[in-house]
PDB file of all heavy atoms in Angstrom:
ATOM      1  N   LYS U  25     116.379 145.781  93.511  1.00  0.00           N
ATOM      2  CA  LYS U  25     117.032 147.082  93.291  1.00  0.00           C
ATOM      3  C   LYS U  25     118.541 146.992  93.547  1.00  0.00           C
ATOM      4  O   LYS U  25     119.336 147.602  92.832  1.00  0.00           O
ATOM      5  CB  LYS U  25     116.406 148.141  94.187  1.00  0.00           C
ATOM      6  CG  LYS U  25     116.889 149.541  93.911  1.00  0.00           C
ATOM      7  CD  LYS U  25     116.139 150.553  94.753  1.00  0.00           C
ATOM      8  CE  LYS U  25     116.649 151.959  94.448  1.00  0.00           C
ATOM      9  NZ  LYS U  25     115.931 152.951  95.248  1.00  0.00           N
ATOM     10  N   ALA U  26     118.935 146.218  94.535  1.00  0.00           N
ATOM     11  CA  ALA U  26     120.352 146.062  94.860  1.00  0.00           C
ATOM     12  C   ALA U  26     121.030 144.987  94.008  1.00  0.00           C
ATOM     13  O   ALA U  26     122.192 144.650  94.246  1.00  0.00           O
ATOM     14  CB  ALA U  26     120.499 145.710  96.350  1.00  0.00           C
ATOM     15  N   ASP U  27     120.317 144.449  93.018  1.00  0.00           N
ATOM     16  CA  ASP U  27     120.831 143.400  92.120  1.00  0.00           C
ATOM     17  C   ASP U  27     121.291 142.157  92.881  1.00  0.00           C
ATOM     18  O   ASP U  27     122.231 141.482  92.464  1.00  0.00           O
ATOM     19  CB  ASP U  27     121.961 143.919  91.226  1.00  0.00           C
ATOM     20  CG  ASP U  27     121.453 144.794  90.101  1.00  0.00           C
ATOM     21  OD1 ASP U  27     120.306 144.572  89.653  1.00  0.00           O
ATOM     22  OD2 ASP U  27     122.193 145.708  89.691  1.00  0.00           O
ATOM     23  N   MET U  28     120.623 141.859  93.996  1.00  0.00           N
ATOM     24  CA  MET U  28     120.954 140.650  94.745  1.00  0.00           C
ATOM     25  C   MET U  28     120.202 139.441  94.205  1.00  0.00           C
ATOM     26  O   MET U  28     120.632 138.304  94.396  1.00  0.00           O
ATOM     27  CB  MET U  28     120.679 140.872  96.220  1.00  0.00           C
ATOM     28  CG  MET U  28     121.569 141.957  96.813  1.00  0.00           C
ATOM     29  SD  MET U  28     121.296 142.169  98.560  1.00  0.00           S
ATOM     30  CE  MET U  28     122.243 140.790  99.195  1.00  0.00           C
ATOM     31  N   ILE U  29     119.055 139.700  93.571  1.00  0.00           N
ATOM     32  CA  ILE U  29     118.303 138.641  92.903  1.00  0.00           C
ATOM     33  C   ILE U  29     117.833 139.195  91.558  1.00  0.00           C
ATOM     34  O   ILE U  29     117.613 140.399  91.403  1.00  0.00           O
ATOM     35  CB  ILE U  29     117.098 138.149  93.734  1.00  0.00           C
ATOM     36  CG1 ILE U  29     116.132 139.284  94.064  1.00  0.00           C
ATOM     37  CG2 ILE U  29     117.546 137.447  94.995  1.00  0.00           C
ATOM     38  CD1 ILE U  29     114.847 138.834  94.738  1.00  0.00           C
ATOM     39  N   ASP U  30     117.667 138.301  90.580  1.00  0.00           N
ATOM     40  CA  ASP U  30     117.174 138.736  89.277  1.00  0.00           C
ATOM     41  C   ASP U  30     115.652 138.693  89.247  1.00  0.00           C
ATOM     42  O   ASP U  30     115.009 138.270  90.215  1.00  0.00           O
ATOM     43  CB  ASP U  30     117.788 137.900  88.149  1.00  0.00           C
ATOM     44  CG  ASP U  30     117.458 136.414  88.267  1.00  0.00           C
ATOM     45  OD1 ASP U  30     116.586 136.041  89.068  1.00  0.00           O
ATOM     46  OD2 ASP U  30     118.089 135.622  87.545  1.00  0.00           O
ATOM     47  N   GLN U  31     115.077 139.111  88.143  1.00  0.00           N
ATOM     48  CA  GLN U  31     113.621 139.177  88.029  1.00  0.00           C
ATOM     49  C   GLN U  31     112.968 137.796  88.120  1.00  0.00           C
ATOM     50  O   GLN U  31     111.888 137.658  88.694  1.00  0.00           O
ATOM     51  CB  GLN U  31     113.221 139.856  86.704  1.00  0.00           C
ATOM     52  CG  GLN U  31     113.547 141.324  86.649  1.00  0.00           C
ATOM     53  CD  GLN U  31     112.755 142.139  87.673  1.00  0.00           C
ATOM     54  OE1 GLN U  31     111.657 141.800  88.057  1.00  0.00           O
ATOM     55  NE2 GLN U  31     113.359 143.226  88.132  1.00  0.00           N
ATOM     56  N   VAL U  32     113.627 136.790  87.586  1.00  0.00           N
ATOM     57  CA  VAL U  32     113.078 135.426  87.629  1.00  0.00           C
ATOM     58  C   VAL U  32     113.001 134.933  89.079  1.00  0.00           C
ATOM     59  O   VAL U  32     111.980 134.403  89.520  1.00  0.00           O
ATOM     60  CB  VAL U  32     113.928 134.468  86.759  1.00  0.00           C
ATOM     61  CG1 VAL U  32     113.467 133.030  86.919  1.00  0.00           C
ATOM     62  CG2 VAL U  32     113.901 134.896  85.303  1.00  0.00           C
ATOM     63  N   GLU U  33     114.100 135.129  89.815  1.00  0.00           N
ATOM     64  CA  GLU U  33     114.122 134.724  91.231  1.00  0.00           C
ATOM     65  C   GLU U  33     113.125 135.548  92.038  1.00  0.00           C
ATOM     66  O   GLU U  33     112.450 135.026  92.932  1.00  0.00           O
ATOM     67  CB  GLU U  33     115.540 134.899  91.797  1.00  0.00           C
ATOM     68  CG  GLU U  33     115.667 134.593  93.267  1.00  0.00           C
ATOM     69  CD  GLU U  33     115.555 133.120  93.599  1.00  0.00           C
ATOM     70  OE1 GLU U  33     115.468 132.288  92.702  1.00  0.00           O
ATOM     71  OE2 GLU U  33     115.538 132.795  94.808  1.00  0.00           O
ATOM     72  N   ALA U  34     113.000 136.826  91.710  1.00  0.00           N
ATOM     73  CA  ALA U  34     112.040 137.688  92.407  1.00  0.00           C
ATOM     74  C   ALA U  34     110.616 137.200  92.173  1.00  0.00           C
ATOM     75  O   ALA U  34     109.817 137.137  93.112  1.00  0.00           O
ATOM     76  CB  ALA U  34     112.186 139.135  91.947  1.00  0.00           C
ATOM     77  N   ALA U  35     110.293 136.817  90.947  1.00  0.00           N
ATOM     78  CA  ALA U  35     108.949 136.314  90.638  1.00  0.00           C
ATOM     79  C   ALA U  35     108.682 135.000  91.383  1.00  0.00           C
ATOM     80  O   ALA U  35     107.595 134.797  91.926  1.00  0.00           O
ATOM     81  CB  ALA U  35     108.794 136.117  89.141  1.00  0.00           C
ATOM     82  N   ARG U  36     109.686 134.127  91.414  1.00  0.00           N
ATOM     83  CA  ARG U  36     109.534 132.843  92.135  1.00  0.00           C
ATOM     84  C   ARG U  36     109.321 133.085  93.621  1.00  0.00           C
ATOM     85  O   ARG U  36     108.434 132.483  94.239  1.00  0.00           O
ATOM     86  CB  ARG U  36     110.767 131.967  91.912  1.00  0.00           C
ATOM     87  CG  ARG U  36     110.626 130.564  92.504  1.00  0.00           C
ATOM     88  CD  ARG U  36     111.936 129.806  92.457  1.00  0.00           C
ATOM     89  NE  ARG U  36     112.947 130.332  93.343  1.00  0.00           N
ATOM     90  CZ  ARG U  36     112.963 130.170  94.678  1.00  0.00           C
ATOM     91  NH1 ARG U  36     112.009 129.506  95.263  1.00  0.00           N
ATOM     92  NH2 ARG U  36     113.941 130.667  95.411  1.00  0.00           N
ATOM     93  N   LEU U  37     110.094 133.979  94.195  1.00  0.00           N
ATOM     94  CA  LEU U  37     109.944 134.288  95.617  1.00  0.00           C
ATOM     95  C   LEU U  37     108.615 134.993  95.906  1.00  0.00           C
ATOM     96  O   LEU U  37     108.007 134.750  96.945  1.00  0.00           O
ATOM     97  CB  LEU U  37     111.109 135.148  96.103  1.00  0.00           C
ATOM     98  CG  LEU U  37     112.428 134.434  96.317  1.00  0.00           C
ATOM     99  CD1 LEU U  37     113.546 135.426  96.594  1.00  0.00           C
ATOM    100  CD2 LEU U  37     112.315 133.427  97.454  1.00  0.00           C
ATOM    101  N   GLU U  38     108.181 135.832  94.992  1.00  0.00           N
ATOM    102  CA  GLU U  38     106.896 136.502  95.175  1.00  0.00           C
ATOM    103  C   GLU U  38     105.759 135.493  95.191  1.00  0.00           C
ATOM    104  O   GLU U  38     104.845 135.573  96.020  1.00  0.00           O
ATOM    105  CB  GLU U  38     106.680 137.514  94.039  1.00  0.00           C
ATOM    106  CG  GLU U  38     105.410 138.316  94.176  1.00  0.00           C
ATOM    107  CD  GLU U  38     105.208 139.261  93.001  1.00  0.00           C
ATOM    108  OE1 GLU U  38     106.208 139.701  92.407  1.00  0.00           O
ATOM    109  OE2 GLU U  38     104.052 139.557  92.703  1.00  0.00           O
ATOM    110  N   GLU U  39     105.816 134.502  94.286  1.00  0.00           N
ATOM    111  CA  GLU U  39     104.790 133.457  94.258  1.00  0.00           C
ATOM    112  C   GLU U  39     104.812 132.646  95.550  1.00  0.00           C
ATOM    113  O   GLU U  39     103.759 132.372  96.146  1.00  0.00           O
ATOM    114  CB  GLU U  39     105.009 132.534  93.059  1.00  0.00           C
ATOM    115  CG  GLU U  39     104.700 133.191  91.744  1.00  0.00           C
ATOM    116  CD  GLU U  39     105.175 132.378  90.543  1.00  0.00           C
ATOM    117  OE1 GLU U  39     105.811 131.312  90.728  1.00  0.00           O
ATOM    118  OE2 GLU U  39     104.906 132.829  89.408  1.00  0.00           O
ATOM    119  N   LYS U  40     106.015 132.270  95.990  1.00  0.00           N
ATOM    120  CA  LYS U  40     106.142 131.495  97.223  1.00  0.00           C
ATOM    121  C   LYS U  40     105.632 132.300  98.415  1.00  0.00           C
ATOM    122  O   LYS U  40     104.944 131.772  99.294  1.00  0.00           O
ATOM    123  CB  LYS U  40     107.595 131.084  97.428  1.00  0.00           C
ATOM    124  CG  LYS U  40     107.807 130.201  98.628  1.00  0.00           C
ATOM    125  CD  LYS U  40     109.218 129.677  98.695  1.00  0.00           C
ATOM    126  CE  LYS U  40     109.337 128.768  99.890  1.00  0.00           C
ATOM    127  NZ  LYS U  40     110.177 127.639  99.696  1.00  0.00           N
ATOM    128  N   THR U  41     105.967 133.575  98.433  1.00  0.00           N
ATOM    129  CA  THR U  41     105.535 134.467  99.511  1.00  0.00           C
ATOM    130  C   THR U  41     104.015 134.581  99.538  1.00  0.00           C
ATOM    131  O   THR U  41     103.389 134.464 100.597  1.00  0.00           O
ATOM    132  CB  THR U  41     106.166 135.870  99.324  1.00  0.00           C
ATOM    133  OG1 THR U  41     107.583 135.724  99.397  1.00  0.00           O
ATOM    134  CG2 THR U  41     105.697 136.841 100.370  1.00  0.00           C
ATOM    135  N   GLU U  42     103.428 134.806  98.380  1.00  0.00           N
ATOM    136  CA  GLU U  42     101.969 134.978  98.324  1.00  0.00           C
ATOM    137  C   GLU U  42     101.250 133.682  98.698  1.00  0.00           C
ATOM    138  O   GLU U  42     100.250 133.712  99.426  1.00  0.00           O
ATOM    139  CB  GLU U  42     101.542 135.450  96.939  1.00  0.00           C
ATOM    140  CG  GLU U  42     100.130 135.975  96.903  1.00  0.00           C
ATOM    141  CD  GLU U  42      99.870 137.083  97.909  1.00  0.00           C
ATOM    142  OE1 GLU U  42     100.596 138.076  97.940  1.00  0.00           O
ATOM    143  OE2 GLU U  42      98.905 136.930  98.696  1.00  0.00           O
TER     144      GLU U  42
END
Side-chain angles (χ1 to χ4, degrees):
K25 187 175 180 180
D27 285 330
M28 296 182 79
I29 58 173
D30 60 12
Q31 291 295 331
V32 174
E33 177 71 5
R36 186 189 69 76
L37 284 171
E38 183 182 332
E39 290 169 356
K40 184 173 182 143
T41 298
E42 194 55 54

